[in-house]
Amino acid sequence: MRAFTCGVCGQLVFFENSACLRCGTKLGLRWRDRELVTKPEEPPCANRDAIGCNALADAPGALCFACSLTRTRPNAADGHGIAQWAEAERAKRRLIFELGELGLPIPTRQEQPEGGLAFDLLSSAVQPVTTGHADGVITLDLAESDDDQRERRRVQMGEPYRTLLGHLRHEIGHFYFPLLTVNEEALTAARRLFGDEREDYQAALDRHYADGPPAGWAREHVSAYATMHPSEDWAETFAHVLHLRDTLQTAAAYGVRVDGPTGRPDLHAEPVDAGAGGLRAMLDDWLGLTYALNAVNRSLGFDDLYPFVLSGPVIDKLAFVDGLIARS
């Protein structure tokens, strides 16, 4: 994420802000150039009052670009569902912002009625909901917005990391697979690294939940869930590229520099421009940064902020996906 400032008083402001906390000047997120605008002339998103969306719309009473991608949302009478929806939309705005920063196309249902991107944000308290992706539609169970529910599921699934933004990054990975592997060369290379995505998904799902991940899975997969099926390996890897890129962009925007502990010159990180160079070139900086952040988290009594180990084969997969994104 980039760093933003108020155009009136120069105060640091954040991506989610709708007003400067120092001088009170109105702010708005303008999607076409992904800028947090001071004293915007454009009207606010129609969802501003309902869920606190701070983005701008093209016309009075219209939804902003990110909110317009939501096809289904909780009923206005469902107070708890509306609060959950607000959290989901906040994460979705970050996702859409990063997709724009990376230069990825975002085909909408208006542009591409079959297969364009859309979101169904549904509450499992009202009906059964399975988080997933199908034909351009990303479905998210809004129960993931509740910390207690999400943590319970994280422990049950044995996952080191589980967030709303992580879910959305994973599911958007499924959406982008056919878009990024549209030519035969890219598809062949993807199948060589991840396996054949045409493999029987239900059989793989049954096997995974019956037997768990194979021994030594971390040598070739970024997560245990990635071992389930080639398409899940791709989606987990895609999500991880987005984690890396966003975190490094934020570190660069705030001038974060890690010199590393005394006697360990290999664990250092300079401020990195996450838009320059390939992913491999940034991993040395990533190592120093994440060692430091994990140590800070432990000092506060929390688990590691970055609970992953990147093996050589995993780095090959990350670099491959990152390269496809760069060429999109």
Side-chain angles (χ1 to χ4, degrees), residues 17-302:
N17 288 157
S18 57
C20 174
L21 296 180
R22 174 188 282 175
C23 69
T25 300
K26 290 184 178 180
L27 305 170
L29 177 64
R30 189 166 60 205
W31 280 115
R32 65 174 178 270
D33 51 10
R34 297 181 303 284
E35 288 290 348
L36 196 60
V37 181
T38 304
K39 296 182 179 179
E41 296 180 357
E42 301 94 328
C45 174
N47 279 340
R48 177 159 297 194
D49 291 340
I51 60 171
C53 177
N54 69 330
L56 303 171
D58 291 333
L63 296 171
C64 75
F65 175 68
C67 285
S68 71
L69 296 172
T70 297
R71 190 176 70 167
T72 313
R73 39 146 285 194
N75 186 285
D78 181 2
H80 184 59
I82 295 297
Q84 292 176 319
W85 171 44
E87 289 296 317
E89 290 287 357
R90 187 174 293 116
K92 179 156 73 71
R93 283 194 293 278
R94 279 191 167 261
L95 172 72
I96 299 302
F97 184 92
E98 184 177 15
L99 298 179
E101 292 287 273
L102 294 173
L104 283 162
I106 309 176
T108 67
R109 290 266 147 166
Q110 290 74 28
E111 300 162 336
Q112 190 175 311
E114 297 296 325
L117 183 61
F119 292 81
D120 286 346
L121 306 178
L122 308 173
S123 173
S124 56
V126 176
Q127 61 187 326
V129 179
T130 300
T131 295
H133 167 268
D135 301 321
V137 179
I138 291 174
T139 300
L140 180 70
D141 180 3
L142 290 176
E144 294 289 340
S145 301
D146 294 332
D147 291 343
D148 57 341
Q149 290 266 20
R150 189 174 60 254
E151 178 63 12
R152 187 179 303 115
R153 293 178 181 182
R154 187 191 69 79
V155 172
Q156 288 173 347
M157 303 291 286
E159 297 174 346
Y161 169 87
R162 190 182 181 102
T163 68
L164 272 174
L165 184 55
H167 275 304
L168 292 173
R169 284 173 170 165
H170 173 96
E171 300 304 338
I172 205 76
H174 289 300
F175 174 76
Y176 278 110
F177 179 78
L179 299 181
L180 296 179
T181 59
V182 68
N183 67 70
E184 192 63 30
E185 181 182 2
L187 183 58
T188 299
R191 287 173 176 166
R192 185 170 61 249
L193 278 171
F194 298 97
D196 193 329
E197 79 287 354
R198 297 168 297 184
E199 289 181 12
D200 188 315
Y201 188 87
Q202 187 59 52
L205 184 70
D206 294 342
R207 182 176 61 249
H208 180 78
Y209 287 113
D211 303 332
W217 60 264
R219 289 193 294 270
E220 296 187 2
H221 298 85
V222 73
S223 70
Y225 189 66
T227 67
M228 190 186 84
H229 187 273
S231 64
E232 299 302 343
D233 193 7
W234 163 274
E236 285 287 271
T237 304
F238 186 97
H240 216 85
V241 170
L242 267 55
H243 296 333
L244 292 169
R245 284 284 181 179
D246 193 20
T247 304
L248 288 172
Q249 185 190 41
T250 305
Y254 285 84
V256 174
R257 175 192 172 102
V258 178
D259 291 324
T262 303
R264 288 299 304 274
D266 54 317
L267 297 180
H268 72 280
E270 301 286 346
V272 179
D273 178 0
L279 183 138
R280 291 180 189 277
M282 296 185 294
L283 283 178
D284 286 342
D285 302 283
W286 179 251
L287 179 65
L289 178 65
T290 54
Y291 266 74
L293 293 176
N294 283 349
V296 169
N297 254 34
R298 293 173 190 176
S299 295
L300 292 170
F302 293 114

